[in-house]
Amino acid sequence: ALKVAGATLLAGTAWVSYELYRESNPAAQEPQSATFPDGSPRKTLVVLGSGWGSVTLLKNLDTTLYNVVVVSPRNYFLFTPLLPSTPVGTVELKSIVEPVRSITRRRPGEVIYYEAEALEVDPQSKKVRIRSVEQGEHKYEMELNYDCLVVGVGAQPTTFGTPGVYEHASFLKEIPDAQDIRVKVMNNIEKAAALSPNDPERKRLLSFVVVGGGPTGVEFAAELQDYVDQDLSKWMPELSKEIKVTLCEALPNILNMFDKSLWQYAQDLFKQEKIDLKVNTMVKNVTATHITTKCGDQLEELPYGVLVWATGNAPRDVSKSLMKKLDQQTSPRGLLINDKLQLLGAEDSIYAMGDCTFYPGLFPTAQVAHQEGEYLAHVLKKQHKIDHLRWQLADAEPSQVPRITARLEKAEAAIQPFKYNHQGALAYIGSEKAIADIAIGESKYRLAGSWTFLFWKSSYLVMCLSFRNRILVALDWLKVSFLGRDSSV
Ligand code: FAD
Ligand code: NAI
């Protein structure tokens, strides 16, 4: 079998030969080395995902300490907080992505990247089966051996089994989702413009429904209404008045993670902005043209032209398959980890972080995944030191044993549990207003309005992954304030 950096090409499949793949990706195949100059082993660290957790880990990791292999079907990092701004063109998609290659290139040691998805992890034999996303003759499937695995595969949108959602609704999780929504919104506007004002089909096409009053649904509904009020109203003044944005939320209020004063403020603003907010309203069924809502005992059929579904997260298939392999994985909500982010049942070799995990008190946010990535970079550095000391101990002269053992104990004690530092939550709610629930130490600050919007903007600029992203996002905002949104598809 062909083995490179812990990778074995699976035999007997219809995939391209290893040599052919190597020809097209020569650089990707070169590992650093199996050992360090002193002869100690260099472990293989496989990182799954290129999102908030994994990229933060990579940015903070000393990549010379491991043979680092990154596997992700997405060859870029996506700055999700600004994703709701993209379907209507407030921010351009290219401004909020950063190629994985540009991140790995800047690391001190070589990092191998496979544009592939992990299909299955075998914690017993320490292997991950991956499949390339590339189509056609260069498609491959391989097994990667790992000494240490970090699972940061995020989550997929949940539908709670609501019939018709996958067939008819759009999600707002990834770049193709944002593109899909943009095309649907713009096409519907043009289709509606060709119909007579009394045609009920025109009304349906111009009904934009968002399901889920969490921050994703709220921020997108707000952006959509901004687009209608600030841009479309100039080009198509009559038609823009017919557009109706509706937000359905199953609970009694939206934005549950915010303080009451803030979600109340957002709900009042939605009323002023004429967003039709339907709380206590659960969507039970979706067809190509209608949703069925349930409010109390009342069922209602609501026509829609574009439906955006944002009702939270569910584990991905690779996480579910891993859960099934470990008896300790008893939660359907995500991979169970301990306070050092070690996967329950595979504590010696697998870490997991971010949206793919479930740990009480840690929410599926970028803030958590980011801090976990930083923490794991620190842990992996310490772990390397521990491994090295253990290697030294195995061959040590008796006189050296006490000294090495003391250092080993000190290094082991240095790995403290992960401590999350919640800095607060921010959300854009439309009409250039935002809300902020800020936590500084024990103190809490609740802010809402236009100044908070400026705070929201500056916070996200600071949080952007790279200088390039920061400049592009700032220019997008500047462009929109002078020239309006670019809504071409
Ligand atoms: P992700 O960032 O989702 O990354 C997962 C990675 O794994 C991706 O690269 C993906 O391609 C890859 N992957 C998927 N399947 C596989 C596989 N089988 N094998 C290998 N790799 C795989 N949080 C905030 O704190 N503040 C915000 O303002 C905010 N805004 C948001 C707006 C939107 C629209 C959305 C959808 C989320 C927002 N979040 C926000 C939540 C935040 O984005 C997530 O909590 C965060 O992305 C989680 O990071 P992660 O690394 O766990 O997963
Ligand atoms: P969410 O889980 O926060 O909210 C989903 C909402 O959908 C819930 O309020 C739920 O009651 C509602 N819902 C579920 N099923 C429904 C149905 N059938 N009909 C009507 N309503 C239904 O999900 P969201 O917004 O996708 O966020 C996911 C994660 O990402 C969260 O942890 C969130 O905090 C984070 N995030 C943070 C942002 C921020 O801080 N600004 C922005 C976007 C996401």
Side-chain angles (χ1 to χ4, degrees):
L2 284 154
K3 288 198 175 186
V4 172
T8 313
L9 187 78
L10 284 184
T13 59
W15 315 113
V16 67
S17 73
Y18 169 78
E19 283 78 8
L20 196 56
Y21 175 67
R22 187 189 165 101
E23 237 171 57
S24 58
N25 294 271
Q29 302 301 304
E30 302 304 330
Q32 293 186 48
S33 71
T35 54
F36 288 98
D38 65 0
S40 64
R42 191 196 302 263
K43 289 189 165 181
T44 296
L45 168 70
V46 175
V47 179
L48 304 183
S50 56
W52 275 98
S54 302
V55 162
T56 309
L57 164 65
L58 277 176
K59 284 193 81 177
N60 290 277
L61 182 71
D62 179 352
T63 49
T64 59
L65 301 180
Y66 293 88
N67 283 316
V68 184
V69 183
V70 178
V71 177
S72 178
R74 203 175 73 189
N75 65 11
Y76 53 85
F77 166 81
L78 171 64
F79 187 76
T80 47
L82 292 177
L83 189 63
S85 306
T86 58
V88 294
T90 311
V91 170
E92 291 304 323
L93 283 166
K94 286 201 173 112
S95 309
I96 58 165
V97 299
E98 187 67 19
V100 170
R101 297 286 182 192
S102 97
I103 299 160
T104 56
R105 194 190 54 187
R106 295 196 185 101
R107 305 312 302 136
E110 193 183 348
V111 176
I112 295 172
Y113 168 63
Y114 292 103
E115 192 185 37
E117 63 171 333
L119 301 175
E120 202 181 355
V121 177
D122 183 349
Q124 266 72 46
S125 62
K126 298 191 183 171
K127 286 182 196 300
V128 195
R129 193 156 60 86
I130 68 167
R131 179 191 291 159
S132 66
V133 291
E134 211 175 347
Q135 296 300 314
E137 61 170 8
H138 283 284
K139 193 165 180 173
Y140 62 88
E141 188 170 323
M142 302 199 275
E143 264 181 359
L144 298 176
N145 298 312
Y146 65 83
D147 298 302
C148 179
L149 178 72
V150 175
V151 186
V153 296
Q156 61 185 9
T158 183
T159 66
F160 295 107
T162 314
V165 179
Y166 284 115
E167 294 84 344
H168 307 296
S170 300
F171 297 106
L172 185 49
K173 185 94 185 140
E174 300 287 347
I175 294 269
D177 299 331
Q179 288 166 328
D180 174 53
I181 297 171
R182 185 172 175 131
V183 169
K184 283 181 178 169
V185 168
M186 304 312 164
N187 283 351
N188 272 23
I189 289 171
E190 291 305 338
K191 276 191 227 163
L195 299 175
S196 89
N198 304 325
D199 192 331
E201 180 63 358
R202 176 167 161 129
K203 190 172 173 199
R204 181 186 74 78
L205 288 169
L206 297 178
S207 299
F208 301 147
V209 178
V210 181
V211 183
T216 305
V218 166
E219 290 190 332
F220 176 64
E223 288 279 357
L224 195 54
Q225 190 65 45
D226 278 0
Y227 167 66
V228 174
D229 294 343
Q230 295 166 11
D231 297 273
L232 204 65
S233 60
K234 290 181 196 146
W235 315 320
M236 303 168 101
E238 292 312 315
L239 183 137
S240 73
K241 285 183 203 138
E242 296 170 51
I243 291 183
K244 187 168 162 196
V245 178
T246 302
L247 178 68
C248 296
E249 166 55 51
L251 296 174
N253 60 273
I254 59 172
L255 296 173
N256 279 289
M257 78 288 290
F258 286 87
D259 182 72
K260 186 179 175 190
S261 60
L262 295 178
W263 62 250
Q264 192 71 63
Y265 181 91
Q267 294 196 171
D268 292 346
L269 187 73
F270 269 25
K271 237 182 239 158
Q272 287 170 31
E273 287 173 342
K274 308 226 166 23
I275 293 177
D276 183 14
L277 180 60
K278 292 182 185 296
V279 290
N280 292 311
T281 302
M282 181 156 228
V283 177
K284 304 291 281 182
N285 191 50
V286 177
T287 68
T289 54
H290 287 73
I291 55 170
T292 310
T293 61
K294 188 165 187 265
C295 181
D297 292 335
Q298 280 210 309
L299 288 176
E300 196 190 343
E301 293 277 297
L302 212 68
Y304 74 84
V306 179
L307 180 66
V308 175
W309 195 269
T311 62
N313 294 338
R316 289 193 191 276
D317 290 347
V318 63
S319 307
K320 283 192 253 178
S321 107
L322 184 52
M323 286 171 196
K324 281 195 199 131
K325 289 185 179 159
L326 298 166
D327 294 341
Q328 292 84 344
Q329 293 295 324
T330 50
S331 169
R333 298 174 69 175
L335 294 167
L336 294 176
I337 47 172
N338 63 19
D339 61 5
K340 290 181 176 162
L341 310 191
Q342 294 161 322
L343 187 74
L344 297 193
E347 288 87 346
D348 64 328
S349 57
I350 305 183
Y351 295 95
M353 63 180 160
D355 284 10
C356 63
T357 61
F358 176 69
Y359 188 89
L362 294 181
F363 295 98
T365 64
Q367 202 180 154
V368 169
H370 176 77
Q371 290 184 26
E372 290 180 334
E374 283 180 333
Y375 168 82
L376 271 190
H378 165 79
V379 166
L380 287 166
K381 188 174 173 193
K382 297 275 173 221
Q383 190 57 49
H384 165 75
K385 192 170 176 189
I386 291 168
D387 293 339
H388 193 257
L389 287 166
R390 283 189 187 141
W391 175 80
Q392 283 184 329
L393 201 56
D395 280 336
E397 300 287 328
S399 62
Q400 293 174 322
V401 170
R403 185 181 57 85
I404 300 175
T405 308
R407 286 183 65 198
L408 184 60
E409 282 167 4
K410 197 173 161 205
E412 283 171 343
I415 300 185
Q416 295 292 313
F418 170 69
K419 205 161 168 280
Y420 173 58
N421 171 22
H422 184 64
Q423 288 157 0
L426 294 166
Y428 180 62
I429 52 171
S431 299
E432 308 201 332
K433 293 191 171 69
I435 53 173
D437 224 336
I438 310 289
I440 301 175
E442 294 298 302
S443 316
K444 300 237 180 304
Y445 302 92
R446 281 157 198 139
L447 313 167
S450 306
W451 286 105
T452 313
F453 175 56
L454 290 180
F455 176 65
W456 177 90
K457 273 186 153 176
S458 31
S459 305
Y460 283 163
L461 274 188
V462 171
M463 280 158 59
C464 276
L465 194 72
S466 66
F467 182 68
R468 177 188 156 275
N469 288 147
R470 230 163 269 149
I471 294 288
L472 291 176
V473 168
L475 287 176
D476 286 345
W477 282 334
L478 200 66
K479 198 173 68 187
V480 165
S481 63
F482 285 107
L483 305 170
R485 290 169 179 81
D486 173 8
S487 57
S488 52
V489 286

